[in-house]
Structures are given as C-alpha cells and as structure tokens.
Amino acid sequence: MPLISIIVPVYNEEKNLELFYSQIKNLPCFLDHTFEMIFVNDGSNDGTTEILYRLAQSDKRIKFIELTRNFGQQAALTAGLDHCSGDAIITMDCDFQDPPELIPEMIKQWDSGFDIVYMRRRIRKEGFFKRLNARIYYSLLYRFSDLKIRGSIGEFRLINKKVLCELNKMREKSRYLRGMVPWLGHKFMIIDFDRPARGAGKTGFSFLNMARLGMNGILSFSLIPLRLGLLIGIFIVFSGIVFMIYLALNYLINNQFYKLLEWLAVANYIMIGFLFILLWIIGEYIGKIYNETKNRPIYVIENKANLSPDENTGT
C-alpha cells in the first residue's frame, strides 16, 4: 500500500501530542494507506521529549528526531523532509489548527493525480492582532513576490515523492518552504478550510518569528527591495529638477528670493533617511549571502528514534 509520511515539527506541545497521535492513527484513509509520523522536536523544554520517546516505543510507525536546540520551524520541517520515505508527504502542526480530519481529502486529491495539495485558510479563529498581521503579510507577499498564490497558505500541505526529491536538492540556509514548494512549479490543488482555534498550550511562533519568516519570504523571492532604490532615486532626481525649475522661474518672473540653504537642509535630511533605509535593505541581502557562504548545516540532530542513526546534521 502507498506510504504516507506525516511530518510534524513540535515545540513545547506536551498537551497536544497524545491526542493528535490518537486522531491520526484512527483516520479511515489509513485502511488502504500505510503511514509513518515523523515528529521533529525543535528544542522543547517541557515534557514533549519524554512523550515522543514513549510514543515511538509503543508504535514503530512513530519516528522521532530531537534537534540539539531550537533551530526554527523551517529547519525542523527540513529535518523531517530529509528523513521521510513516503510516497506522499504531509507537513502540519499538532496544535489542531491544521485539522487532522482534512488528511483524507488531501490524500484523495493526491490519488487523483495532483503533485501538491495546498491547504488555504479561509477563516482564522485567532485574535484580531494575529489575523490582521496575517492579512497584511500575505497581501504584501503576493504583491511583492514573483510567486503568485493568493490567500493564507502555511505549512499544511501535501507533496508527492517527485516534488520531495526536487525540494531536497534546495539546500539554502534561509529557508522559506512556503515559497520553495510553489517555485518548483508542479501541478497543484488548493483546498480551502476554516482554521480552528489552537488546542491546548501556547504557540511558540512569536511575532518576531513571524516577522523573520515574512522577511525571508520577501527577500528570497523578490527583487523589489533592491529595485526600490532605483525608484526612489528617479523620484528624487525628477522632483529636484522640477524644484530647480520652479525656483529659477519664480526668481526670473516674480523676483522672489529664497534661502536655498534652508531648502537644502530639509532635502538633505530626507535623503539621509532614504539612505538609511536603502543601507538596511542592502544589509539584509548581504547578511543572507554571508549565511550562505558559511555553509553551516541547516540543523543538528541530538537523538533519533526508529530512524537510522548515520546522519546527524542537515547539510
């Protein structure tokens, strides 16, 4: 039977793990599909590790990767993708905001011939601030990115083995899987769903993490920030010429005298602000290049369960 790999990054999820595992293993789609679950413990400091070891001992379909520290969601997902062996691979969270009951529909679309099945959030049962941030972020990403997939699509998706093989060849250190998967350009299907409220516990995905992920998405898949300098430069030159023409005509026609140094002081102040913005943008790109040239592994593994122990880093 086809093997379905379910990859789940976890960070301090001790209150959700056992119920999540119970719901997954009882899904009716696994009567005609086998499955494996790969939990990637991304530096949890609660009882997550002990629960995962216990689950892995009781069920050999449960595989467990423990990272040496918190490397972030994208690195944890990459670790799972590197160690899975399924014919189809599903990535999702275990906080029940990615509903397990939607997995049969994802598998059905894969069986019908789609290489990728995206899960798009139609309604988010979250706080107003979180919903507002998400709406602004996805709107900016769609507008400025070269990849045009509308809506709120996160890490809840299915890919087939062909897509996985291509994805695993992409070893950049600044990971943004939400852009890397559609960049491959395979045949895809989008399923809309209402995202429920989180189960037990608190999210480990802070505002800072969200901002960092959003920055990776824009800088990795768009040259707009670099082109912004050209647009601002053209505007400043054009407005400066218009301003100089205005001063010259007003002086020649109306004999109006201006203290040019006053205007230049204001213009110089504004241009210094633009220079700081442009230096920040250039610094972001240089920082990403610097991270790539260091060639450090994407993640480092401390322990494994039900997986071969030969590989410990994500180079």
Side-chain angles (χ1 to χ4, degrees), residues 160-171:
N160 65 13
K161 200 161 191 174
K162 176 176 65 176
V163 177
L164 175 68
C165 291
E166 297 299 325
L167 184 61
N168 282 345
K169 296 177 184 178
M170 305 165 68
R171 305 308 294 180

Side-chain angles (χ1 to χ4, degrees), residues 139-287:
S139 176
L140 291 175
L141 187 63
Y142 178 81
R143 183 177 298 274
F144 293 136
S145 175
D146 298 330
L147 301 169
K148 302 302 182 184
I149 295 182
R150 288 187 178 274
S152 177
I153 297 178
E155 305 302 344
F156 191 20
R157 74 175 73 86
L158 179 149
I159 61 176
N160 65 13
K161 200 161 191 174
K162 176 176 65 176
V163 177
L164 175 68
C165 291
E166 297 299 325
L167 184 61
N168 282 345
K169 296 177 184 178
M170 305 165 68
R171 305 308 294 180
E172 55 257 44
K173 304 305 183 290
S174 297
R175 312 289 289 176
Y176 187 71
L177 293 169
R178 301 180 191 187
M180 295 165 66
V181 173
W183 181 88
L184 293 170
H186 293 281
K187 183 180 179 182
F188 67 89
M189 170 71 178
I190 297 178
I191 298 176
D192 291 306
F193 74 102
D194 296 337
R195 192 184 198 198
R198 180 182 170 84
K202 296 181 179 180
T203 179
F205 206 62
S206 65
F207 176 77
L208 182 60
N209 290 334
M210 183 185 300
R212 187 180 295 116
L213 182 64
M215 184 61 67
N216 278 341
I218 293 175
L219 295 183
S220 296
F221 293 94
S222 175
L223 293 177
I224 287 294
L226 284 179
R227 294 167 181 163
L228 187 63
L230 175 62
L231 297 177
I232 293 175
I234 292 174
F235 172 77
I236 292 176
V237 170
F238 177 77
S239 60
I241 293 173
V242 171
F243 179 64
M244 292 299 293
I245 293 175
Y246 169 77
L247 291 179
L249 291 177
N250 208 22
Y251 174 74
L252 294 173
I253 297 174
N254 299 322
N255 293 322
Q256 178 67 45
F257 177 75
Y258 292 95
K259 293 181 179 179
L260 188 57
L261 289 177
E262 296 176 359
W263 290 97
L264 288 176
V266 176
N268 187 57
Y269 176 78
I270 296 172
M271 292 182 68
I272 289 174
F274 283 134
L275 287 174
F276 271 106
I277 294 173
L278 294 177
L279 285 174
W280 168 73
I281 294 172
I282 294 171
E284 289 286 345
Y285 279 98
I286 293 174

Side-chain angles (χ1 to χ4, degrees), residues 281-301:
I281 294 172
I282 294 171
E284 289 286 345
Y285 279 98
I286 293 174
K288 293 171 73 66
I289 295 171
Y290 175 62
N291 285 333
E292 294 294 328
T293 57
K294 286 188 293 188
N295 201 30
R296 292 177 180 173
I298 299 171
Y299 56 86
V300 180
I301 294 176

